Amino acid sequence: MRKNRLFQIGIIISVLLMVSFWAYGQDFQGQEVRWLFHGSHFESGFKPWSEKWAAEHNAKVITTVVPFEDLYQKLMTELVGGGGDYDIIQYMYPWGGTVAGGGYLLPLSSYIDVNSDWWKDITPVNQKAGMWNGEIYGLTHDGDTHMFYFRKDIFENEEEKANFKAQFGHDLRPPVTWDEYLDAANFFTRKKGDKLAGEVLTQDFYGAAELLGRPNVYWWFLTRFSNFSVPYFDLETMEPKINGPEGVRCLENMISCLPFMPPGVLNFGWAEGNAAFMNGQAAMIVIWTDTGKRANAPELSKIVGKVGYGLVPGWLVDGKLKQRTFLSGGGWILGVLKDAKHKEAAISLIKYLTGPEVSLVNVTDYNTAMDPYRYSHIKSEKFRNLFPQAGEFLDAIEKNFESGWPELALPGGSEYMDVLGLYVHRALNGELKPQDALNAVAEEWKKITKKYGLEEQKRIFQEFMTPYLPKE
Amino acid sequence: MSTKLPSRRIKNKLGTIFGYVLLAIVLIWFVFPLYWTFATSVKQKGEFFSSPPLLFSRQPTLKNYTEVFEDGSLIYLKNSIIAVTFSSLSAIVLGSLAAYGLARIKPSWSKKYALWVLSLRLFPPIAIILPLFLMMKNLHLIDTYWSLIMVYTMFNLSFAVWILRAFFEDIPSELDESAFLDGCSHLGVFFKIIIPITKTGILTTAIFCSIFSWNEFLFATILTRSITKTFVVHVASYRGSQNLNLGAISALCILGTIPIITLFLLTRRHFIRGITLGAIKD
Amino acid sequence: MKKQYAAVWFVLPATIIILLLVIYPMVYSLFVSFHSYNIAISQKMTFIGIENFKNIFLDGRFWNSIINTVILVVVGCALQLTLGLAIALLLNQKLRSEAAIKVLILLPMLMAPVVVAQMWKIMLQPNIGCVNYFLQLLHVTGQEIEWLTKSRLAIFSLLLVDLWQWTPFVTIVTLAGLYSMPTSPLEAARVDGASGFQIFRYVSLPLLKPILIVVVLIRSIDIYRLLEAVVVMTEGGPGFSTETVSFYVFSVGFKYFNIGYAAALSYFISIILSLVVGFFINSLNREMRGAL
């Protein structure tokens, strides 16, 4: 009898052990998960965690990190020959139409419980970022929306305020419209040796910094354009609406602002834009939300405690303010390739990385460029105490997620945006007049739409755009 | 044998001084960028953006070098060395065999073949990169040493055949004729006579091939990913969010240049002959 | 006959590699160039005849890249040739530590174009780069010059970088030409009382001409495929002002994945290049006959 009891206990213990082991993690003994993503500013967030995951699961993670400019190329060349070399890829929301719509990604619905708190914790716009045609193909690891930052210390300086009023006839305040932004940029652009807020400048100072390098520039056009809530195309005819008066107004504003930005701004990418603002060389910047935590980190920033936040400026139309933040980039997403060699392991890894615990550490770590995208990030006490006014900042992000204007996500999404960026850049460089540049964009967009099939694109576009249209 | 030009004696000291001043300007122009890169690579983090720029760090540091080594640079250096060594070796082996066939056996189509091989070098690499990529992808050779070694061998071959042919043609034909009389085969002549005589020429060609492969970017960026990524691709990947990491970039530039300069210094004299041979010999 | 047969065996291994890695891709490319094949849309290939080649003539961005490339080739070659020749003449006299000087001058051309581009990108940076600082120090300008982001300047910066890297090549080759020059015509000219410049203009230069043509040929081909500096320094910007042919074809192939069109473009630019090279070789032949 005793022996039997012991045997029973033995079985129970081993079952318990097995269960706990199961709960601890599946064993992916010796599996190599290959993973493509961009940017050292993501690597710093991914690396320690993927190593930890690998150790827990007896697996190995091999990463390929490329510059942003090369990611789309590396990704697409992988997909061409049928894949098989990577398990996990990183993509941006607008590429979803090509990557997920092209049937290259593994549908994840059967691996994710959409009724779980885990999934519901993700803000809807960031759930949608990884979805295509109602199916989940990827998990957001970096939520994206633009935010406006300014130098609180100089905007609140009494002397500057008085001078500004004398010069422009209205009060100095953190710009609410792009016209005010232009005035403020103009006003704050100073030479070395001039005085700024009572202090003599040791280097030139500029009104604003934007990321106007060729791959990025279209975002800074669209961050102006989104305020109008003008859909990218006519919903019935698919005629591009980018070259309407609103577009021209945006581009003209961009060109007017150009002299008040640092030299070389037409080559600025993420690093340069952030550096210009955080080194105290520029009074204002519109950029993604991670700059908030970074600008308040003493290791990275010379303007700790001097940063003010606000919504991205809008436009006055017939005396009424039109303001709608651009969900620039739409988020970075991790997906698993359909031809992945180690699907289970890959899914386990991306769920681990985008889960509430790991992602909270990443979005609050100023060494990464990852932005909040879960309700638990936005509500997190840790985040709300990370820097002054972080609470308001997070509330603004949440509001943007609810009412922001989306980046265009159609098949060929990156081609549309590339063309837009090219011609905006040509206009900024003085090669083309704003109207001509945008007309050229419209022409090219028509060609791209035709290439991908007008009717099909129209159907997808209507479905995509309708939820965002203003309800009147 | 070398008549200097202008050969009349330099009339006055003024002229000489002027010449040396010009020479100094020329040297500064060519050497300064290298110096600046080195100086940047030993600067402290805070010194990169100081205005005015510092000519040399106040507290030189090797931190930038340790940083790029921690970032896997050693692996990429190793990858480059492997790809370079094996592709140069195979280019030399195959190329010297072909060059022997062309220069010593002298078939009627010798010159035509050599020109054909050289003309392949004229085609923009961009013209064949796509099909090559698809081919390597189907053979599952992407991100392996094989793809790089094969492509570099091919590119170096056209050059190696052309140059080695010129070297081999310089050898008097009596030498191999007497060897043939002694009962040597073609291979025997090739190994016992031609190779020993043209050692330096072969070495020079090998160095040229190595430098080409070391510096190549287009194929390396398309055919590799993370495992066999070459050093130059790694240097190029310091763009975008790494644009302002000046210390790391310049350290990488210096690291990527040292091996080439070493190779070059080892074979300096033959090297200059090699360059001129490539251009002057028709 | 037997002799030639043996040569085949020696040439065979090299030929196989070349056939496999050059000829096969080229044939495949030719095949693809008659198809509509855009892998961003679908993996299907449809035959469309010469449509791709027709499109080339309507592609303004391509012709813009041709113009940029021609500017780079013509101005680049002219500058490099002039400077390279001048430096060769400067070095062609009894100098102390001549060997060391040559080594220093040779260094740039040994370096990887990617490395060179990175180095210059750092130096040309406004505000933090040293080039603007020195120009301000010498009172050439008081402004921060935007070397890489002003349209005419950006292409000039590419020229500058290429000039730095490849002038030494011209110098070294010309110098070798000067050394190997037959002495008698020079002596004769000197006896006739010609000045240094006259000797150079009427005796040395004609003798150097075949070498210079080869140098220009090699440099033109290399500049024609300029890619690395564009990728690292400007990404083709500002606007389209530094897009070279290679960069554009690379973008069509590896950014828009319009493989069929990229193949057609590659063939087209190869044909242009062969025409140019043919022209050079013709004139070289003429020169050689004249010289002999």
Side-chain angles (χ1 to χ4, degrees), chain B residues 3 5 7-8 29 37 52 105 108 113 121-122 215 235 239 243 268 276 279, chain C residues 3 11 15 103 110 118 121 133 164 176 183 190 194 204 214 221 225 235 273:
Chain B
T3 305
L5 183 114
S7 64
R8 68 178 53 180
W29 158 249
T37 309
I105 307 179
S108 55
Y113 183 91
R121 194 115 202 204
L122 304 183
N215 290 347
V235 176
R239 281 186 289 140
N243 258 350
R268 187 168 33 116
T276 45
Chain C
K3 257 175 111 183
V11 175
T15 315
V103 167
L110 304 177
Q118 287 278 29
K121 190 180 175 187
Y133 170 68
W164 181 77
T183 47
R190 214 164 292 135
S204 315
V214 177
I221 293 169
R225 26 168 109 138
E235 291 279 346
L273 185 66

mmCIF file of all heavy atoms in Angstrom, chain B residues 3 5 7-8 29 37 52 105 108 113 121-122 215 235 239 243 268 276 279, chain C residues 3 11 15 103 110 118 121 133 164 176 183 190 194 204 214 221 225 235 273:
data_model
loop_
_atom_site.group_PDB
_atom_site.id
_atom_site.type_symbol
_atom_site.label_atom_id
_atom_site.label_comp_id
_atom_site.label_asym_id
_atom_site.label_seq_id
_atom_site.Cartn_x
_atom_site.Cartn_y
_atom_site.Cartn_z
ATOM 1 N N THR B 3 64.412 60.448 -67.511
ATOM 2 C CA THR B 3 64.736 61.844 -67.693
ATOM 3 C C THR B 3 63.714 62.681 -66.965
ATOM 4 O O THR B 3 62.521 62.489 -67.146
ATOM 5 C CB THR B 3 64.710 62.202 -69.186
ATOM 6 O OG1 THR B 3 65.579 61.321 -69.845
ATOM 7 C CG2 THR B 3 65.145 63.610 -69.384
ATOM 8 N N LEU B 5 61.538 65.901 -65.838
ATOM 9 C CA LEU B 5 60.920 66.946 -66.626
ATOM 10 C C LEU B 5 60.261 67.950 -65.691
ATOM 11 O O LEU B 5 59.558 67.521 -64.785
ATOM 12 C CB LEU B 5 59.858 66.311 -67.536
ATOM 13 C CG LEU B 5 59.142 67.239 -68.495
ATOM 14 C CD1 LEU B 5 59.493 66.868 -69.906
ATOM 15 C CD2 LEU B 5 57.656 67.186 -68.243
ATOM 16 N N SER B 7 63.540 69.212 -67.360
ATOM 17 C CA SER B 7 64.831 68.639 -67.017
ATOM 18 C C SER B 7 65.909 69.693 -66.798
ATOM 19 O O SER B 7 66.904 69.425 -66.156
ATOM 20 C CB SER B 7 65.268 67.684 -68.113
ATOM 21 O OG SER B 7 65.449 68.427 -69.284
ATOM 22 N N ARG B 8 65.684 70.891 -67.295
ATOM 23 C CA ARG B 8 66.737 71.891 -67.039
ATOM 24 C C ARG B 8 66.804 72.158 -65.539
ATOM 25 O O ARG B 8 65.796 72.091 -64.835
ATOM 26 C CB ARG B 8 66.472 73.162 -67.824
ATOM 27 C CG ARG B 8 65.254 73.932 -67.356
ATOM 28 C CD ARG B 8 65.077 75.201 -68.143
ATOM 29 N NE ARG B 8 65.063 74.900 -69.579
ATOM 30 C CZ ARG B 8 64.929 75.838 -70.506
ATOM 31 N NH1 ARG B 8 64.852 77.106 -70.165
ATOM 32 N NH2 ARG B 8 64.894 75.519 -71.783
ATOM 33 N N TRP B 29 46.631 67.967 -48.376
ATOM 34 C CA TRP B 29 45.332 67.686 -48.984
ATOM 35 C C TRP B 29 45.031 66.186 -48.967
ATOM 36 O O TRP B 29 43.929 65.768 -48.658
ATOM 37 C CB TRP B 29 45.320 68.267 -50.390
ATOM 38 C CG TRP B 29 44.339 67.675 -51.344
ATOM 39 C CD1 TRP B 29 44.619 66.916 -52.436
ATOM 40 C CD2 TRP B 29 42.908 67.811 -51.328
ATOM 41 N NE1 TRP B 29 43.475 66.570 -53.087
ATOM 42 C CE2 TRP B 29 42.395 67.093 -52.429
ATOM 43 C CE3 TRP B 29 42.000 68.454 -50.473
ATOM 44 C CZ2 TRP B 29 41.036 67.004 -52.710
ATOM 45 C CZ3 TRP B 29 40.653 68.360 -50.756
ATOM 46 C CH2 TRP B 29 40.178 67.654 -51.862
ATOM 47 N N THR B 37 40.283 61.795 -39.375
ATOM 48 C CA THR B 37 39.513 60.624 -38.975
ATOM 49 C C THR B 37 40.157 59.963 -37.766
ATOM 50 O O THR B 37 39.476 59.574 -36.818
ATOM 51 C CB THR B 37 39.445 59.623 -40.137
ATOM 52 O OG1 THR B 37 39.002 60.313 -41.290
ATOM 53 C CG2 THR B 37 38.499 58.490 -39.835
ATOM 54 N N PRO B 52 35.075 75.795 -31.536
ATOM 55 C CA PRO B 52 35.579 75.226 -32.790
ATOM 56 C C PRO B 52 36.039 73.783 -32.606
ATOM 57 O O PRO B 52 36.385 73.393 -31.496
ATOM 58 C CB PRO B 52 36.783 76.116 -33.111
ATOM 59 C CG PRO B 52 37.240 76.635 -31.797
ATOM 60 C CD PRO B 52 36.006 76.786 -30.977
ATOM 61 N N ILE B 105 50.876 29.302 -74.275
ATOM 62 C CA ILE B 105 50.507 28.404 -75.366
ATOM 63 C C ILE B 105 50.124 29.219 -76.592
ATOM 64 O O ILE B 105 50.257 28.780 -77.721
ATOM 65 C CB ILE B 105 49.353 27.463 -74.926
ATOM 66 C CG1 ILE B 105 49.758 26.761 -73.625
ATOM 67 C CG2 ILE B 105 49.045 26.445 -75.994
ATOM 68 C CD1 ILE B 105 48.724 25.822 -73.066
ATOM 69 N N SER B 108 45.319 31.043 -81.106
ATOM 70 C CA SER B 108 45.026 32.168 -82.001
ATOM 71 C C SER B 108 44.021 33.131 -81.365
ATOM 72 O O SER B 108 44.013 34.309 -81.658
ATOM 73 C CB SER B 108 44.474 31.642 -83.319
ATOM 74 O OG SER B 108 43.350 30.825 -83.048
ATOM 75 N N TYR B 113 40.220 36.471 -76.313
ATOM 76 C CA TYR B 113 39.716 35.971 -75.042
ATOM 77 C C TYR B 113 40.061 36.941 -73.920
ATOM 78 O O TYR B 113 39.221 37.295 -73.091
ATOM 79 C CB TYR B 113 40.319 34.594 -74.751
ATOM 80 C CG TYR B 113 39.795 33.968 -73.478
ATOM 81 C CD1 TYR B 113 38.681 33.142 -73.496
ATOM 82 C CD2 TYR B 113 40.416 34.210 -72.251
ATOM 83 C CE1 TYR B 113 38.188 32.576 -72.337
ATOM 84 C CE2 TYR B 113 39.938 33.659 -71.082
ATOM 85 C CZ TYR B 113 38.822 32.828 -71.127
ATOM 86 O OH TYR B 113 38.340 32.273 -69.974
ATOM 87 N N ARG B 121 34.599 43.301 -67.017
ATOM 88 C CA ARG B 121 34.832 44.212 -65.917
ATOM 89 C C ARG B 121 34.169 45.567 -66.159
ATOM 90 O O ARG B 121 33.929 46.333 -65.245
ATOM 91 C CB ARG B 121 36.341 44.399 -65.804
ATOM 92 C CG ARG B 121 36.741 45.031 -64.556
ATOM 93 C CD ARG B 121 37.544 44.239 -63.647
ATOM 94 N NE ARG B 121 37.368 44.844 -62.337
ATOM 95 C CZ ARG B 121 38.215 44.743 -61.380
ATOM 96 N NH1 ARG B 121 39.283 44.028 -61.525
ATOM 97 N NH2 ARG B 121 38.002 45.323 -60.239
ATOM 98 N N LEU B 122 33.920 45.850 -67.432
ATOM 99 C CA LEU B 122 33.359 47.153 -67.759
ATOM 100 C C LEU B 122 31.865 47.216 -67.431
ATOM 101 O O LEU B 122 31.318 48.278 -67.218
ATOM 102 C CB LEU B 122 33.540 47.457 -69.252
ATOM 103 C CG LEU B 122 34.970 47.396 -69.753
ATOM 104 C CD1 LEU B 122 35.028 47.792 -71.212
ATOM 105 C CD2 LEU B 122 35.844 48.324 -68.934
ATOM 106 N N ASN B 215 37.272 46.160 -50.307
ATOM 107 C CA ASN B 215 36.550 47.423 -50.427
ATOM 108 C C ASN B 215 35.162 47.293 -51.024
ATOM 109 O O ASN B 215 34.398 48.244 -51.015
ATOM 110 C CB ASN B 215 37.360 48.384 -51.313
ATOM 111 C CG ASN B 215 38.612 48.859 -50.615
ATOM 112 O OD1 ASN B 215 38.750 48.679 -49.411
ATOM 113 N ND2 ASN B 215 39.513 49.463 -51.354
ATOM 114 N N VAL B 235 30.577 49.222 -41.835
ATOM 115 C CA VAL B 235 30.884 50.663 -41.795
ATOM 116 C C VAL B 235 29.728 51.455 -42.400
ATOM 117 O O VAL B 235 29.305 52.476 -41.858
ATOM 118 C CB VAL B 235 32.190 50.967 -42.567
ATOM 119 C CG1 VAL B 235 32.451 52.461 -42.601
ATOM 120 C CG2 VAL B 235 33.366 50.247 -41.937
ATOM 121 N N ARG B 239 24.702 54.530 -40.359
ATOM 122 C CA ARG B 239 23.981 55.653 -40.943
ATOM 123 C C ARG B 239 22.715 55.829 -40.136
ATOM 124 O O ARG B 239 22.465 55.107 -39.191
ATOM 125 C CB ARG B 239 23.589 55.313 -42.386
ATOM 126 C CG ARG B 239 24.711 55.458 -43.362
ATOM 127 C CD ARG B 239 24.185 55.245 -44.761
ATOM 128 N NE ARG B 239 23.855 53.858 -44.986
ATOM 129 C CZ ARG B 239 22.800 53.429 -45.655
ATOM 130 N NH1 ARG B 239 21.945 54.294 -46.147
ATOM 131 N NH2 ARG B 239 22.580 52.160 -45.841
ATOM 132 N N ASN B 243 24.168 58.197 -37.311
ATOM 133 C CA ASN B 243 24.872 59.260 -38.031
ATOM 134 C C ASN B 243 25.801 60.081 -37.169
ATOM 135 O O ASN B 243 26.832 60.543 -37.630
ATOM 136 C CB ASN B 243 23.842 60.205 -38.638
ATOM 137 C CG ASN B 243 23.660 59.944 -40.104
ATOM 138 O OD1 ASN B 243 24.430 59.195 -40.688
ATOM 139 N ND2 ASN B 243 22.663 60.536 -40.689
ATOM 140 N N ARG B 268 54.996 47.421 -51.438
ATOM 141 C CA ARG B 268 54.899 48.750 -52.011
ATOM 142 C C ARG B 268 55.464 48.867 -53.426
ATOM 143 O O ARG B 268 54.817 49.335 -54.349
ATOM 144 C CB ARG B 268 55.623 49.727 -51.095
ATOM 145 C CG ARG B 268 55.477 51.154 -51.447
ATOM 146 C CD ARG B 268 55.995 51.941 -50.297
ATOM 147 N NE ARG B 268 57.103 51.205 -49.667
ATOM 148 C CZ ARG B 268 58.352 51.649 -49.632
ATOM 149 N NH1 ARG B 268 58.658 52.785 -50.156
ATOM 150 N NH2 ARG B 268 59.296 50.939 -49.045
ATOM 151 N N THR B 276 50.455 50.603 -62.692
ATOM 152 C CA THR B 276 50.800 51.167 -63.987
ATOM 153 C C THR B 276 50.690 50.110 -65.073
ATOM 154 O O THR B 276 50.293 50.399 -66.187
ATOM 155 C CB THR B 276 52.220 51.755 -63.953
ATOM 156 O OG1 THR B 276 53.052 50.803 -63.295
ATOM 157 C CG2 THR B 276 52.231 53.024 -63.177
ATOM 158 N N ALA B 279 47.270 49.825 -66.405
ATOM 159 C CA ALA B 279 46.810 50.915 -67.251
ATOM 160 C C ALA B 279 47.627 51.041 -68.535
ATOM 161 O O ALA B 279 47.111 51.405 -69.581
ATOM 162 C CB ALA B 279 46.869 52.227 -66.473
ATOM 163 N N LYS C 3 48.426 22.544 -79.963
ATOM 164 C CA LYS C 3 48.779 23.581 -79.015
ATOM 165 C C LYS C 3 47.525 24.273 -78.462
ATOM 166 O O LYS C 3 47.355 24.430 -77.268
ATOM 167 C CB LYS C 3 49.622 24.634 -79.731
ATOM 168 C CG LYS C 3 51.101 24.551 -79.426
ATOM 169 C CD LYS C 3 51.826 25.541 -80.257
ATOM 170 C CE LYS C 3 52.395 26.656 -79.432
ATOM 171 N NZ LYS C 3 53.047 27.681 -80.240
ATOM 172 N N VAL C 11 42.279 27.359 -69.775
ATOM 173 C CA VAL C 11 41.343 28.483 -69.685
ATOM 174 C C VAL C 11 39.998 28.037 -69.122
ATOM 175 O O VAL C 11 39.250 28.835 -68.572
ATOM 176 C CB VAL C 11 41.190 29.112 -71.092
ATOM 177 C CG1 VAL C 11 40.150 30.194 -71.095
ATOM 178 C CG2 VAL C 11 42.523 29.660 -71.554
ATOM 179 N N THR C 15 36.836 30.070 -67.250
ATOM 180 C CA THR C 15 35.697 30.345 -68.128
ATOM 181 C C THR C 15 34.394 29.862 -67.510
ATOM 182 O O THR C 15 33.369 30.539 -67.604
ATOM 183 C CB THR C 15 35.910 29.667 -69.489
ATOM 184 O OG1 THR C 15 37.247 29.912 -69.906
ATOM 185 C CG2 THR C 15 34.936 30.196 -70.512
ATOM 186 N N VAL C 103 54.048 57.028 -51.196
ATOM 187 C CA VAL C 103 53.206 56.185 -50.344
ATOM 188 C C VAL C 103 52.045 56.993 -49.780
ATOM 189 O O VAL C 103 50.887 56.582 -49.824
ATOM 190 C CB VAL C 103 54.043 55.572 -49.196
ATOM 191 C CG1 VAL C 103 53.131 54.965 -48.149
ATOM 192 C CG2 VAL C 103 54.992 54.532 -49.743
ATOM 193 N N LEU C 110 43.602 53.452 -52.004
ATOM 194 C CA LEU C 110 43.533 52.085 -51.487
ATOM 195 C C LEU C 110 42.305 51.883 -50.626
ATOM 196 O O LEU C 110 41.897 50.770 -50.349
ATOM 197 C CB LEU C 110 44.769 51.784 -50.634
ATOM 198 C CG LEU C 110 46.106 51.993 -51.313
ATOM 199 C CD1 LEU C 110 47.228 51.736 -50.326
ATOM 200 C CD2 LEU C 110 46.221 51.075 -52.495
ATOM 201 N N GLN C 118 32.287 58.009 -45.589
ATOM 202 C CA GLN C 118 31.995 58.270 -44.178
ATOM 203 C C GLN C 118 32.920 59.363 -43.628
ATOM 204 O O GLN C 118 32.477 60.257 -42.902
ATOM 205 C CB GLN C 118 32.174 56.997 -43.340
ATOM 206 C CG GLN C 118 31.095 55.950 -43.530
ATOM 207 C CD GLN C 118 29.844 56.228 -42.719
ATOM 208 O OE1 GLN C 118 29.527 57.369 -42.437
ATOM 209 N NE2 GLN C 118 29.105 55.186 -42.380
ATOM 210 N N LYS C 121 31.934 62.674 -45.023
ATOM 211 C CA LYS C 121 30.630 63.092 -44.517
ATOM 212 C C LYS C 121 30.804 63.783 -43.161
ATOM 213 O O LYS C 121 30.181 64.799 -42.888
ATOM 214 C CB LYS C 121 29.734 61.864 -44.377
ATOM 215 C CG LYS C 121 28.292 62.185 -44.080
ATOM 216 C CD LYS C 121 27.521 60.898 -43.963
ATOM 217 C CE LYS C 121 26.098 61.137 -43.540
ATOM 218 N NZ LYS C 121 25.415 59.867 -43.273
ATOM 219 N N TYR C 133 34.932 74.961 -40.697
ATOM 220 C CA TYR C 133 35.731 75.664 -39.697
ATOM 221 C C TYR C 133 36.986 76.262 -40.329
ATOM 222 O O TYR C 133 37.310 77.431 -40.119
ATOM 223 C CB TYR C 133 36.092 74.702 -38.563
ATOM 224 C CG TYR C 133 37.107 75.253 -37.609
ATOM 225 C CD1 TYR C 133 36.784 76.331 -36.778
ATOM 226 C CD2 TYR C 133 38.384 74.714 -37.535
ATOM 227 C CE1 TYR C 133 37.704 76.841 -35.907
ATOM 228 C CE2 TYR C 133 39.320 75.224 -36.661
ATOM 229 C CZ TYR C 133 38.984 76.294 -35.842
ATOM 230 O OH TYR C 133 39.904 76.809 -34.993
ATOM 231 N N TRP C 164 39.476 63.535 -54.347
ATOM 232 C CA TRP C 164 40.449 63.215 -53.305
ATOM 233 C C TRP C 164 40.915 61.777 -53.456
ATOM 234 O O TRP C 164 42.098 61.473 -53.363
ATOM 235 C CB TRP C 164 39.817 63.406 -51.918
ATOM 236 C CG TRP C 164 40.765 63.117 -50.799
ATOM 237 C CD1 TRP C 164 41.759 63.939 -50.362
ATOM 238 C CD2 TRP C 164 40.826 61.932 -50.012
ATOM 239 N NE1 TRP C 164 42.435 63.339 -49.345
ATOM 240 C CE2 TRP C 164 41.890 62.098 -49.097
ATOM 241 C CE3 TRP C 164 40.097 60.759 -49.972
ATOM 242 C CZ2 TRP C 164 42.241 61.136 -48.161
ATOM 243 C CZ3 TRP C 164 40.435 59.789 -49.048
ATOM 244 C CH2 TRP C 164 41.494 59.980 -48.155
ATOM 245 N N ALA C 176 54.545 57.123 -64.026
ATOM 246 C CA ALA C 176 55.190 55.973 -64.662
ATOM 247 C C ALA C 176 55.401 56.243 -66.142
ATOM 248 O O ALA C 176 56.435 55.900 -66.719
ATOM 249 C CB ALA C 176 54.323 54.736 -64.471
ATOM 250 N N THR C 183 64.135 59.299 -74.146
ATOM 251 C CA THR C 183 64.860 60.533 -73.819
ATOM 252 C C THR C 183 65.180 61.368 -75.051
ATOM 253 O O THR C 183 65.268 62.592 -74.949
ATOM 254 C CB THR C 183 66.181 60.201 -73.102
ATOM 255 O OG1 THR C 183 66.825 59.173 -73.833
ATOM 256 C CG2 THR C 183 65.925 59.766 -71.687
ATOM 257 N N ARG C 190 65.433 70.198 -76.147
ATOM 258 C CA ARG C 190 66.250 71.043 -75.283
ATOM 259 C C ARG C 190 67.371 71.704 -76.085
ATOM 260 O O ARG C 190 67.637 72.884 -75.923
ATOM 261 C CB ARG C 190 66.818 70.198 -74.141
ATOM 262 C CG ARG C 190 66.928 70.966 -72.873
ATOM 263 C CD ARG C 190 67.099 70.028 -71.711
ATOM 264 N NE ARG C 190 65.904 69.249 -71.457
ATOM 265 C CZ ARG C 190 65.908 67.955 -71.209
ATOM 266 N NH1 ARG C 190 67.055 67.281 -71.216
ATOM 267 N NH2 ARG C 190 64.786 67.322 -70.975
ATOM 268 N N ALA C 194 63.994 74.882 -76.447
ATOM 269 C CA ALA C 194 62.597 75.019 -76.031
ATOM 270 C C ALA C 194 62.516 75.242 -74.533
ATOM 271 O O ALA C 194 63.348 74.735 -73.775
ATOM 272 C CB ALA C 194 61.823 73.760 -76.407
ATOM 273 N N SER C 204 56.256 66.116 -74.324
ATOM 274 C CA SER C 204 55.814 65.133 -73.330
ATOM 275 C C SER C 204 54.329 64.816 -73.462
ATOM 276 O O SER C 204 53.930 63.661 -73.468
ATOM 277 C CB SER C 204 56.062 65.653 -71.915
ATOM 278 O OG SER C 204 57.339 66.202 -71.846
ATOM 279 N N VAL C 214 43.870 56.078 -71.611
ATOM 280 C CA VAL C 214 43.522 54.890 -70.818
ATOM 281 C C VAL C 214 43.077 55.310 -69.420
ATOM 282 O O VAL C 214 42.090 54.800 -68.886
ATOM 283 C CB VAL C 214 44.736 53.935 -70.731
ATOM 284 C CG1 VAL C 214 44.387 52.752 -69.835
ATOM 285 C CG2 VAL C 214 45.109 53.436 -72.103
ATOM 286 N N ILE C 221 34.745 54.906 -66.415
ATOM 287 C CA ILE C 221 33.968 53.707 -66.091
ATOM 288 C C ILE C 221 33.687 53.656 -64.600
ATOM 289 O O ILE C 221 32.577 53.367 -64.167
ATOM 290 C CB ILE C 221 34.726 52.446 -66.545
ATOM 291 C CG1 ILE C 221 34.810 52.411 -68.061
ATOM 292 C CG2 ILE C 221 34.032 51.197 -66.038
ATOM 293 C CD1 ILE C 221 35.746 51.353 -68.593
ATOM 294 N N ARG C 225 29.869 54.170 -62.378
ATOM 295 C CA ARG C 225 29.158 53.291 -61.461
ATOM 296 C C ARG C 225 29.174 53.779 -60.012
ATOM 297 O O ARG C 225 28.897 53.029 -59.090
ATOM 298 C CB ARG C 225 29.715 51.877 -61.503
ATOM 299 C CG ARG C 225 31.144 51.737 -61.924
ATOM 300 C CD ARG C 225 31.616 50.349 -61.640
ATOM 301 N NE ARG C 225 31.803 49.594 -62.845
ATOM 302 C CZ ARG C 225 32.839 48.783 -63.048
ATOM 303 N NH1 ARG C 225 33.743 48.630 -62.122
ATOM 304 N NH2 ARG C 225 32.951 48.122 -64.167
ATOM 305 N N GLU C 235 22.095 59.948 -50.022
ATOM 306 C CA GLU C 235 20.884 59.193 -50.361
ATOM 307 C C GLU C 235 20.228 59.762 -51.619
ATOM 308 O O GLU C 235 19.015 59.708 -51.772
ATOM 309 C CB GLU C 235 19.868 59.215 -49.209
ATOM 310 C CG GLU C 235 20.290 58.424 -47.985
ATOM 311 C CD GLU C 235 20.037 56.928 -48.102
ATOM 312 O OE1 GLU C 235 19.305 56.499 -49.006
ATOM 313 O OE2 GLU C 235 20.599 56.183 -47.276
ATOM 314 N N LEU C 273 27.391 52.552 -71.957
ATOM 315 C CA LEU C 273 28.786 52.438 -71.545
ATOM 316 C C LEU C 273 29.630 51.811 -72.653
ATOM 317 O O LEU C 273 30.726 52.295 -72.952
ATOM 318 C CB LEU C 273 28.887 51.607 -70.266
ATOM 319 C CG LEU C 273 30.280 51.534 -69.674
ATOM 320 C CD1 LEU C 273 30.711 52.897 -69.180
ATOM 321 C CD2 LEU C 273 30.344 50.547 -68.529
#
